[in-house]
Amino acid sequence: VRAISVSTCPALSPLSIGNVNIGFPIVQAALSGYSDLPMRVIARQYGASYTICEVMLDQFLLALSKRQKTKHFLDIHPTEHPVGGQLMGAEPEQFAMGALRLVEAGFDIIDVNFGCPVKKVLGRCRGGFHLSQPEVAIDILRRTRDIVPPEIPVTVKMRRGIDDSAESRDKFFQILDGAIECGLAAATVHGRTVQQRYIGPSRWSFLTEVKQHVGTQMRILGSGDLFTAEDCLRMIHETGIDGVTVARGAIGNPWIFQQARALSEGLPKPPAPDLSEQAAVMREHFQLCTQTYNEQRAPLLMRKFCIKYSQCHPQHVEVRRDMTRIRTRDEFEQMLNKHYSGNGAGRYIPREAHGSQEEC
């Protein structure tokens, strides 16, 4: 991976999606099972100018009640606007009604998911499956744009096709052109195919083609292999796209946004967060988790985040092992006191530490 020379990079242009001003063009992606309210709020505090909630099924949204166990899916913190709601489904009419639920919940932008490569999703004709059927995909986009109030932008998340065939490429651009005709404000494009899932490199050169194809008709955001602040700036400068969405690189690492902002302003990259800052962020994340869910569920839900946060610790193997055993708030505090009481230096997370979780 080439190092980026921030001294030679032009300033980043602020991002807007429709009539929503985003500002700094490096934002947090929708992450299935991760980008809930607590993660989004922490990301905003550390410089993400826009975040997207974890993807929700249209059927789930239409059946969603106000019960304590499920109501958190539509919770929005007062400090996190603008925030996007992402939707996935199979039937155009039901899809549009699900989008309306997201509007009613207060999301500022509605994002349509045509990118998820998970097998059970594809088997139910959702997510990335729609890239194989342009007519249905465009019908979904049209119905969604029609039902969502005109002042709320609609966007779409896509991969570069089902596979690497010429037919798949043609269908991608057919859907992209249809999205423009339907009045969508932006598209987020992942540089891998659906067939690739998360294996092999993301083809950034495809993003250049996409941006050149749409010109100024639509904002294009890129996704895939963004694990460092340098990666984020490099993708924008190399491809000419309007912004990027950080997925795996932001789990347990909200500092990536702070670091990217500094580099974009020509400043030195901030040092990796020290142990006291890591502990403070985890405590705040835990508190937000408790408020969003409850005292009993929070420790178990925090485990997956703590495991990711542990990658910033110099003794990450030992810390991770202890993180997996958290069952109560007291055990969480004991773990922090054991590993984070001395204010030692942290570490930047290496690429190989990022697991297979990705935006859906």
Side-chain angles (χ1 to χ4, degrees):
V1 176
R2 294 196 304 257
I4 188 167
S5 173
V6 294
S7 60
T8 59
C9 285
L12 296 180
S13 299
L15 175 67
S16 61
I17 296 177
N19 61 358
V20 177
N21 293 321
I22 303 297
F24 188 59
I26 296 173
V27 308
Q28 184 191 279
L31 279 148
S32 186
Y34 283 91
S35 57
D36 58 359
L37 181 149
M39 181 180 177
R40 299 193 310 261
V41 169
I42 296 290
R44 290 303 301 265
Q45 291 177 2
Y46 278 85
S49 51
Y50 171 60
T51 61
I52 310 172
C53 76
E54 55 185 311
V55 65
M56 285 180 265
L57 285 176
D58 51 5
Q59 292 175 344
F60 172 77
L61 279 169
L62 294 176
L64 200 60
S65 69
K66 295 293 183 181
R67 290 186 305 122
Q68 181 65 33
K69 193 172 181 180
T70 55
K71 75 176 188 65
H72 67 269
F73 282 100
L74 295 179
D75 281 352
I76 298 173
H77 197 274
T79 65
E80 66 168 323
H81 292 283
V83 59
Q86 192 179 84
L87 184 65
M88 182 164 66
E91 299 298 329
E93 187 172 349
Q94 189 167 262
F95 207 109
M97 295 306 295
L100 203 53
R101 286 299 302 273
L102 292 176
V103 170
E104 292 166 353
F107 289 97
D108 302 289
I109 295 173
I110 307 303
D111 191 46
V112 174
N113 185 308
F114 288 166
C116 187
V118 176
K119 282 185 179 179
K120 67 178 181 181
V121 170
L122 301 177
R124 293 170 182 164
C125 305
R126 300 167 178 154
F129 179 85
H130 289 299
L131 297 178
S132 69
Q133 47 177 14
E135 292 79 11
V136 175
I138 293 169
D139 189 23
I140 286 172
L141 297 179
R142 182 177 296 110
R143 287 173 182 259
T144 303
R145 178 62 280 180
D146 286 349
I147 202 168
V148 170
E151 67 274 13
I152 296 178
V154 175
T155 61
V156 61
K157 167 69 191 295
M158 304 167 70
R159 284 182 167 238
R160 62 181 168 87
I162 290 289
D163 52 36
D164 270 322
S165 66
E167 179 186 13
S168 183
R169 175 188 169 89
D170 289 346
K171 287 179 177 178
F172 172 93
F173 282 103
Q174 185 181 344
I175 295 169
L176 187 66
D177 288 341
I180 294 171
E181 290 173 12
C182 292
L184 267 66
T188 297
V189 181
H190 187 112
R192 291 187 180 90
T193 64
V194 172
Q195 197 175 73
Q196 267 186 282
R197 299 193 68 198
Y198 310 113
I199 301 168
S202 174
R203 190 180 296 174
W204 288 13
S205 59
F206 183 74
L207 303 178
T208 305
E209 294 180 59
V210 171
K211 184 57 191 173
Q212 290 173 349
H213 180 86
V214 305
T216 59
Q217 299 177 88
M218 173 184 270
R219 298 284 184 265
I220 299 297
L221 287 81
S223 174
D225 294 347
L226 298 172
F227 299 125
T228 67
E230 291 88 346
D231 291 339
C232 298
L233 271 66
R234 188 165 59 88
M235 179 182 272
I236 293 174
H237 293 306
E238 285 188 6
T239 65
I241 56 178
D242 302 291
V244 300
T245 64
V246 187
R248 277 178 289 174
I251 305 175
N253 185 26
W255 299 280
I256 192 171
F257 301 106
Q258 181 187 63
Q259 293 161 3
R261 280 182 181 264
L263 291 179
S264 72
E265 295 168 6
L267 301 172
K269 184 177 179 178
D274 61 32
L275 299 188
S276 64
E277 184 176 357
Q278 292 177 41
V281 169
M282 280 188 276
R283 282 192 173 101
E284 182 172 5
H285 197 147
F286 195 109
Q287 185 60 31
L288 285 165
C289 206
T290 300
Q291 293 167 0
T292 303
Y293 305 98
N294 57 50
E295 192 74 44
Q296 289 70 42
R297 294 183 69 197
L300 298 179
L301 292 168
M302 271 300 292
R303 266 191 202 166
K304 61 187 176 185
F305 289 104
C306 285
I307 287 167
K308 296 295 183 179
Y309 280 118
S310 71
Q311 294 293 340
C312 294
H313 197 290
Q315 282 77 50
H316 53 93
V317 175
E318 181 185 351
V319 177
R320 177 191 173 98
R321 185 174 62 246
D322 286 353
M323 297 275 201
T324 62
R325 298 168 180 162
I326 296 169
R327 290 174 310 222
T328 66
R329 183 155 205 155
D330 285 344
E331 290 178 352
F332 170 75
E333 285 296 334
Q334 289 167 16
M335 181 275 299
L336 291 186
N337 291 332
K338 177 180 177 181
H339 295 292
Y340 293 85
S341 55
N343 190 19
R347 69 165 192 161
Y348 295 118
I349 304 176
R351 270 183 173 73
E352 60 270 19
H354 296 280
S356 61
Q357 296 87 3
E358 181 60 284
E359 74 273 36
C360 198

